[in-house]
Amino acid sequence: MIETQAQDTDIIVIGGGTGGYSTALRAAALGLRVVLAERDKVGGTCLHRGCIPSKAMLHAAELVDGIAEARERWGVKATLDSVDWSALVATRDDIVSRNHKGVEGHLSHAGVTVARGSARLTGPRTVVIEGYGQVTARRGIVLATGSRPRMLPGLTADGRRVVTSDDALFAPGLPQSVLVLGGGAIGVEYASFHRSMGTQVTLVEAADRLVPLEDVDVSRHLTRGLKKRGIDVQVGALLTETELLDDGIRATVRTARGETRTVEAERLLVAVGRVPVTDGLGLENAGLATDERGYVAPADWDRLETAVPGIHVVGDLLPPPSLGLAHASFAEGLLVAETLAGVPSVPVDYAAVPRVTYSSPQTASVGLSEAEARNRGHEVAVNTMPLTAVAKGMVHGQGGVVKVVAQEGGQVLGVHLVGPNVSEMIAESQLIVGWDAEPSDVARHVHAHPTLSEAVGETFLTLAGRGLHQQG
């Protein structure tokens, strides 16, 4: 039964995405009463429109690519008749549904009260939840309302010809051609997926390189891999005009050389970033405001607490150095829940949070790029090693690279990977960077042979002056 009278609790969490529900679960485990307000479905963008469904589709894309590799490289006479889009979608939706039920089950088992409705702050400790009533938080309020896709002026998503990263996977069928606008992780992943499925892909990025927040060598190797797959990559390029057609779009692109190109495609996929969702949240009622970029900035990053005591922020509402990544928001949720429970907690070390692009090839990195390290005044030692320098890299045959950035004579500052399955290899490097290890510390640990991770081990061996297959 839905209660409508005023009530109180220990913590109110507004938003049930990864940051919100992780806060709620940890707080409940610490014995606090929690009300979680969510106007859509718990799990948020990551579970329902982003991380999980997109990685399910990218796995299907890997299977398609594997059939081509089997035939062309290994002599396995396999053929691909077609992709049953409805069956692919059904599998994707089943994975999402099972995860959704799992999250709801965890919240129920933990004793979290899930109030399904929009929430609005009415004071520094009070929230009104649509269809539920007013709730007062004795300990604090956590803002976890997430983000939505940024849309360029003059463009409107219609779910068919113009789509955002939130609805791209739910558009009808596979287009024969797509123009992907935005070369960050999301745009690159969608470009990679569509190419695997046989779509002609043009990828346009305004910056001078793809994934511009990553190390320049990551961008270079990734771009090389995407171009090798037949993706038309245009960096330093701008979309200047768009015309809707009956069966697609016609776009005018100004290239890095100042030339004008006309691109016609069945679909325009806009992936130019995301913006925080705060509309209707009633921040002003609690004495809060967003910054000029729309974020709710904490006054205390060690506690993720705003200038209003007891109001905390997690997830996509946070400005940099928060990364807008689901796994970072899990850590933020743990920190805030423990803070509100009075339990000692360690601040989030954003430098040690891994970043992954699940394209083909994949990229994975943690810590500082070479340029960032030098800009911060570090004397650095850098070593790179191609994945094909180890036997397992040759087996995969997709190229790739390991790059390690270390302080000269000191700790490892960053690790950067490009190649097959590197998303599953970054955890080791996360520990290396997070624990301030030095190359010599890593070099004494033996990596299994033959594995791709040997290239990581060999890179550190070389930096430690003990390289076998590579000279420093």
Side-chain angles (χ1 to χ4, degrees):
M1 177 180 296
I2 295 177
E3 301 179 43
T4 57
Q5 70 272 22
Q7 53 193 298
D8 64 4
T9 187
D10 292 318
I11 296 174
I12 303 169
V13 181
I14 304 178
T18 51
Y21 80 69
S22 61
T23 305
L25 287 173
R26 180 60 178 145
L30 292 170
L32 300 181
R33 293 175 57 203
V34 183
V35 172
L36 171 64
E38 171 54 57
R39 64 186 180 188
D40 190 6
K41 298 178 180 178
V42 292
T45 294
C46 178
L47 175 54
H48 297 285
R49 297 177 293 279
C51 316
I52 305 307
S54 67
K55 275 52 180 184
M57 302 292 257
L58 283 161
H59 177 68
E62 290 175 6
L63 298 177
V64 171
D65 291 338
I67 294 172
E69 182 189 357
R71 180 179 65 253
E72 297 166 8
R73 187 163 182 251
W74 295 101
V76 178
K77 302 303 181 183
T79 58
L80 176 66
D81 292 333
S82 63
V83 174
D84 185 337
W85 182 254
S86 60
L88 193 158
V89 165
T91 301
R92 176 201 70 199
D93 291 349
D94 177 63
I95 293 168
V96 170
S97 176
R98 284 188 285 136
N99 275 273
H100 179 221
K101 290 177 182 176
V103 173
E104 288 194 318
H106 286 312
L107 291 168
S108 176
H109 180 73
V112 174
T113 299
V114 178
R116 304 184 187 279
S118 297
R120 178 172 54 86
L121 294 165
T122 55
R125 282 290 191 277
T126 55
V127 173
V128 168
I129 304 171
E130 181 184 11
Y132 190 83
Q134 179 167 295
V135 187
T136 299
R138 288 191 292 268
R139 298 213 180 193
I141 295 171
V142 183
L143 307 180
T145 49
S147 64
R148 59 172 172 262
R150 183 188 303 276
M151 183 56 69
L152 294 179
L155 282 177
T156 302
D158 63 6
R160 181 173 65 89
R161 295 167 297 180
V162 179
V163 298
T164 69
S165 56
D166 267 11
D167 54 27
L169 294 178
F170 306 96
L174 281 165
Q176 302 230 343
S177 56
V178 63
L179 169 59
V180 179
L181 185 61
I186 295 175
V188 167
E189 288 179 1
Y190 279 113
S192 180
F193 166 76
H194 282 89
R195 186 67 195 125
S196 296
M197 292 298 176
T199 299
Q200 293 298 313
V201 179
T202 302
L203 176 59
V204 174
E205 166 58 42
D208 62 359
R209 57 190 178 92
L210 297 181
V211 289
L213 299 181
E214 298 293 346
D215 188 273
V216 65
D217 286 326
V218 169
S219 298
R220 181 166 56 87
H221 283 274
L222 173 63
T223 301
R224 180 185 301 167
L226 295 177
K227 286 184 175 180
K228 187 177 179 180
R229 296 181 55 208
I231 295 176
D232 180 10
V233 178
Q234 297 291 327
V235 296
L238 295 174
L239 183 73
T240 60
E241 189 177 344
T242 305
E243 178 186 357
L244 293 179
L245 308 175
D246 290 340
D247 56 354
I249 61 99
R250 179 183 295 120
T252 303
V253 176
R254 188 171 73 245
T255 70
R257 296 181 178 181
E259 302 168 343
T260 299
R261 286 187 53 188
T262 299
V263 179
E264 290 193 7
E266 283 188 32
R267 190 166 295 163
L268 171 63
L269 198 164
V270 182
V272 292
R274 301 182 66 86
V275 295
V277 173
T278 58
D279 45 301
L281 188 52
L283 294 174
E284 65 283 355
N285 298 326
L288 288 173
T290 61
D291 67 13
E292 65 277 4
R293 298 164 296 178
Y295 296 111
V296 181
D300 182 352
W301 277 94
D302 287 351
R303 297 163 54 89
L304 298 180
E305 188 172 29
T306 68
V308 177
I311 300 184
H312 298 252
V313 189
V314 299
D316 287 356
L317 290 186
L318 286 168
S322 180
L323 303 171
L325 299 172
H327 45 284
S329 71
F330 283 130
E332 292 159 357
L334 291 171
L335 167 63
V336 168
E338 289 163 359
T339 297
L340 288 169
V343 175
S345 192
V346 178
V348 179
D349 181 3
Y350 290 105
V353 174
R355 306 175 299 275
V356 179
T357 303
Y358 296 85
S359 52
S360 178
Q362 293 183 355
T363 77
S365 60
V366 63
L368 301 179
S369 68
E370 180 180 353
E372 287 172 332
R374 294 189 188 280
N375 288 339
R376 295 189 185 189
H378 293 288
E379 294 290 333
V380 301
V382 177
N383 190 33
T384 61
M385 183 175 186
L387 288 182
T388 50
V390 298
K392 196 63 181 294
M394 295 181 189
V395 171
H396 281 277
Q398 297 178 26
V401 69
V402 176
K403 179 175 182 178
V404 175
V405 180
Q407 189 170 358
E408 189 70 58
Q411 70 189 64
V412 178
L413 301 172
V415 181
H416 310 276
L417 312 175
V418 181
N421 302 321
V422 296
S423 60
E424 304 295 340
M425 293 168 56
I426 197 61
E428 172 189 22
S429 298
Q430 175 187 358
L431 296 178
I432 292 168
V433 171
W435 285 343
D436 298 334
E438 298 185 8
S440 58
D441 297 323
V442 184
R444 62 191 177 92
H445 294 286
V446 180
H447 288 73
H449 173 77
T451 62
L452 288 174
S453 68
E454 278 185 285
V456 176
E458 185 74 28
T459 306
F460 283 105
L461 278 167
T462 302
L463 278 172
R466 301 176 60 202
L468 293 175
H469 304 96
Q470 183 190 29
Q471 299 301 313

